[in-house]
Amino acid sequence: MMIDQIPTAFLFFAGALALLALPKGNLRGALLLIVPVLAGWQVWSLPFGNLHPVSFFGFEMELMRVDKLARLFGLVFCLSAFLGNLYAWHVRDTVQQVAALLYAGSAIGAVFAGDLITLFFYWEGTAIGSVFLIWARRTEGAFHTGMRYLVIQIGSGVILLAGVALVYRDTGSIVFETMTLGSLGTWLIFLSFGIKAAFPLLHNWLQDAYPAATVTGSVILSAFTTKLAIYALARGFAGTEILIYIGAIMTIFPLFFSEMENDMRRVLAYSLNNQLGFMVVGIGIGTDMALNGAVSHAFAHILYKALLFMGMGAVLFRTGTIKASELGGIYRTMPLTTILTIVGAVSISAFPFFSGYVTKSLTFAAVGNAHLWVVWGALVFASVGVLSDTGIKIPYYTFFAHDSGKRPKEAPMSMLLAMGISAALCIAIGVYPAMLYALLPYDVDYSPYTTGHVIGQFQLLMFALLAFAVLKRAGIYPSEERAIYLDTDWTYRWLLPRMIRNISAMIGQIWGGTTGMLHRRVQSIIAGLYHSHGPEGRMASVWPTGSMVIWISVLLGVTLIVSFFG
């Protein structure tokens, strides 16, 4: 069929152009849903292989390299684009609608890129498409946040391009395949992927940007950028040992910030960082089971994290705030949003019979098989932490806790429908994991529902719940406060501006002092010359005009004699 001859990303780009020709309203909403459905059907039906080779300035590029890894991410990206657009059905903002299609199309194009140059173009496309979901909020703060986000994301692409150029110089190939960290080029590519994956100390663009996006924009943002980076790491650096330890750190350090955070969308951004760590650990181990665990967790994570962002977005849409200190008690008038958000919370917490359990347990099994017991302990600690800071904190402080007095309406039907589908998929994957396991890159020989696995997980979860209850009862658990907490963004939001101001002030003082001194010196010289040679000066009083004429004549004569004999 004709559609099979078009790269999947181009369907989204064509949809963005077609959308501009349609009037605002339900027709645009329908198009936004039809495009990812057609794309998903195409991805599901395409055969494996290199399907769209093209030549570009002497380079052989591959626009559609289809295999099991690419197909899995392509399918979940199409699914998340559909759910995000359904959630945003009520939005009539052309900027957000076009940006959503361009962003999703670029992410899907990058997933199917068979070469590094094609990957670069789509990599930068995700940056340009996604930033408009932040700017669409149309506030001064969103503008500055978007600029910071864009600089970091475009910078990641520039680093990627530099790495590609060096790899091509060293190998003569641009094929996107497994690489080894043995050259500057591969290290640059690794760094570029790490920025988008929000590695430690490279992560804060995520907590800065996602909560600053529009209500629907944060849902769409949560699906693509970081998971594209996970795909790129799985494709390019599977089995790279350093990723194990990077991932372990990623699972732990966000927990402390999210426990204190008052903005619920920032809490979700930190827990997103935590969940990425589990995927990075699996990629670093690099065995079949570990990679299955990483990519299946990415699949499940896109769904339950989108569900959580949808729940918080619905609350923000109805109440105008997403601060824990200003919420509470709204379960009374938003019961469906409450229930659906709780499904997302128990999924991210890896309760048995929910999606997070059947995917995260693969990674735990792979870590155990590799005898990485310190890393295993870190992941256990992180699992307890994510239950506390997201699984409990998000629904408890948003919907229960103290009564804020707010009685908002239930979320719009399109939001509830998108949340309902996401919640149903979280439960379906948890109850019947074989449905997801069949899509994974490698054969799965693992059963998550053994007695030992289930009992062990319930013990871990009950311990975390008990710890929360005890800490809350004792008044030790961090309470919701009107505060803003900075982590590594402290360097460029507080330290760097003050350093620049202080250095500028010091340079200004030095410059002002130097120029003032020179000005005074020049004025002194001019005053001295005027005093001695001016009309009223000493020289004027002893040198009459006649004497001056004689001396000028003498000097002129001397000059002529020298010139003649010279």
Side-chain angles (χ1 to χ4, degrees):
M1 293 179 65
M2 181 66 70
I3 192 174
D4 294 336
Q5 308 303 314
I6 303 173
T8 307
F10 290 11
L11 296 176
F12 286 86
F13 300 155
L17 289 174
L19 185 140
L20 295 174
L22 296 176
K24 292 183 179 180
N26 291 338
L27 280 177
R28 284 191 176 186
L31 179 65
L32 286 164
L33 298 181
I34 290 171
V35 169
V37 169
L38 288 176
W41 177 82
Q42 183 203 47
V43 170
W44 179 261
S45 61
L46 284 175
F48 291 158
N50 296 326
L51 307 183
H52 287 282
V54 296
S55 294
F56 180 75
F57 288 98
F59 293 103
E60 295 301 318
M61 300 168 60
E62 180 51 64
L63 302 184
M64 286 292 292
R65 190 249 318 270
V66 184
D67 58 13
K68 295 188 75 172
L69 179 62
R71 185 174 68 178
L72 177 74
F73 277 90
L75 286 172
V76 73
F77 280 178
C78 290
L79 177 59
S80 59
F82 174 83
L83 293 173
N85 291 337
L86 176 60
Y87 182 78
W89 176 269
H90 64 282
V91 173
R92 296 295 182 262
D93 184 357
T94 301
V95 171
Q96 292 189 67
Q97 292 173 328
V98 172
L101 289 176
L102 294 179
Y103 181 31
S106 296
I108 291 170
V111 162
F112 289 110
D115 65 274
L116 293 168
I117 294 178
T118 301
L119 176 69
F120 163 75
F121 283 119
Y122 285 125
W123 197 263
E124 294 291 60
T126 60
I128 296 170
S130 58
V131 73
F132 287 97
L133 297 173
I134 302 170
W135 285 339
R137 202 167 182 181
R138 294 176 173 86
T139 65
E140 184 178 355
F143 171 77
H144 292 299
T145 300
M147 288 301 298
R148 291 193 296 268
Y149 172 83
L150 188 61
V151 167
I152 292 171
Q153 296 299 314
I154 293 294
S156 170
V158 172
I159 294 170
L160 173 60
L161 183 61
V164 172
L166 292 174
V167 167
Y168 178 72
R169 183 197 65 181
D170 295 339
T171 66
S173 173
I174 60 168
V175 176
F176 185 21
E177 57 189 358
T178 303
M179 294 170 273
T180 302
L181 291 177
S183 67
L184 177 59
T186 53
W187 272 105
L188 288 175
I189 294 173
F190 182 79
L191 175 60
S192 173
F193 293 173
I195 291 172
K196 260 187 168 37
F199 280 1
L201 304 182
L202 303 175
H203 69 283
N204 200 252
W205 62 265
L206 196 160
Q207 288 78 28
D208 187 23
Y210 284 18
T214 63
V215 168
T216 56
S218 63
V219 174
I220 298 171
L221 282 171
S222 71
F224 297 111
T225 297
T226 52
K227 260 60 75 189
L228 172 58
I230 293 299
Y231 164 81
L233 288 169
R235 173 73 69 185
F237 294 100
T240 301
E241 185 178 3
I242 192 174
L243 287 173
I244 300 173
Y245 308 106
I246 291 174
I249 295 170
M250 288 175 69
T251 63
I252 294 175
F253 84 85
L255 300 175
F256 304 101
F257 292 102
S258 58
E259 289 286 6
M260 299 182 293
E261 185 56 58
N262 188 40
D263 186 312
M264 288 308 196
R265 294 204 295 181
R266 281 179 65 88
V267 172
L268 290 179
Y270 276 117
S271 69
L272 194 158
N273 222 168
N274 158 275
Q275 295 295 289
L276 292 172
F278 286 90
M279 305 170 208
V280 172
V281 168
I283 294 169
I285 295 172
T287 61
D288 290 358
M289 177 177 283
L291 289 172
N292 280 340
V295 299
S296 66
H297 199 53
F299 190 105
H301 177 264
I302 287 173
L303 295 174
Y304 61 65
K305 182 61 68 173
L307 176 55
L308 288 166
F309 269 107
M310 287 177 188
M312 295 304 96
V315 170
L316 177 59
F317 181 74
R318 286 306 195 195
T319 66
T321 183
I322 200 63
K323 307 294 186 183
S325 57
E326 301 171 3
L327 294 171
I330 62 175
Y331 72 91
R332 296 177 176 87
T333 53
M334 299 186 75
L336 295 178
T337 300
T338 302
I339 293 169
L340 294 171
T341 302
I342 289 174
V343 172
V346 296
S347 295
I348 196 174
S349 303
F351 273 81
F353 307 108
F354 292 88
S355 58
Y357 170 76
V358 301
T359 58
K360 190 182 291 184
S361 58
L362 281 170
T363 300
F364 270 104
V367 172
N369 291 342
H371 305 293
L372 299 168
W373 302 119
V374 174
V375 175
W376 186 87
L379 298 189
V380 169
F381 177 82
S383 296
V384 173
V386 79
L387 171 60
S388 174
D389 69 17
T390 304
I392 298 174
K393 181 174 182 175
I394 289 291
Y396 178 75
Y397 283 116
T398 303
F399 301 105
F400 304 102
H402 61 273
D403 188 353
S404 64
K406 292 181 170 62
R407 297 295 183 266
K409 294 180 181 179
E410 183 57 272
M413 183 55 65
S414 61
M415 287 185 169
L416 290 175
L417 186 57
M419 294 172 68
I421 295 172
S422 301
L425 288 171
C426 289
I427 296 171
I429 292 171
V431 172
Y432 186 61
M435 176 174 57
L436 175 58
Y437 288 174
L439 298 174
L440 298 179
Y442 305 100
D443 293 336
V444 178
D445 182 17
Y446 177 79
S447 175
Y449 286 114
T450 64
T451 302
H453 289 155
V454 173
I455 291 176
Q457 185 65 9
F458 268 122
Q459 287 177 332
L460 184 67
L461 295 169
M462 292 305 105
F463 169 79
L465 289 169
L466 178 62
F468 173 82
V470 171
L471 293 174
K472 188 68 178 173
R473 182 72 176 176
I476 300 174
Y477 190 85
S479 60
E480 64 278 26
E481 297 179 355
R482 298 175 184 270
I484 297 175
Y485 296 96
L486 303 179
D487 55 21
T488 58
D489 58 341
W490 174 82
T491 57
Y492 61 83
R493 297 180 68 176
W494 189 91
L495 178 63
L496 191 59
R498 282 161 178 76
M499 288 179 61
I500 291 173
R501 282 198 294 269
N502 291 336
I503 292 171
S504 298
M506 183 175 64
I507 292 174
Q509 290 176 355
I510 294 172
W511 177 258
T514 302
T515 55
M517 182 184 67
L518 290 175
H519 178 74
R520 290 190 297 272
R521 181 62 177 165
V522 170
Q523 289 293 326
S524 176
I525 293 172
I526 292 173
L529 290 172
Y530 184 85
H531 181 69
S532 61
H533 292 80
E536 306 297 330
R538 294 189 302 273
M539 297 300 293
S541 64
V542 299
W543 282 15
T545 303
S547 298
M548 293 179 65
V549 172
I550 292 172
W551 278 107
I552 290 172
S553 300
V554 170
L555 291 173
L556 180 59
V558 171
T559 303
L560 291 173
I561 292 170
V562 171
S563 301
F564 178 78
F565 287 103

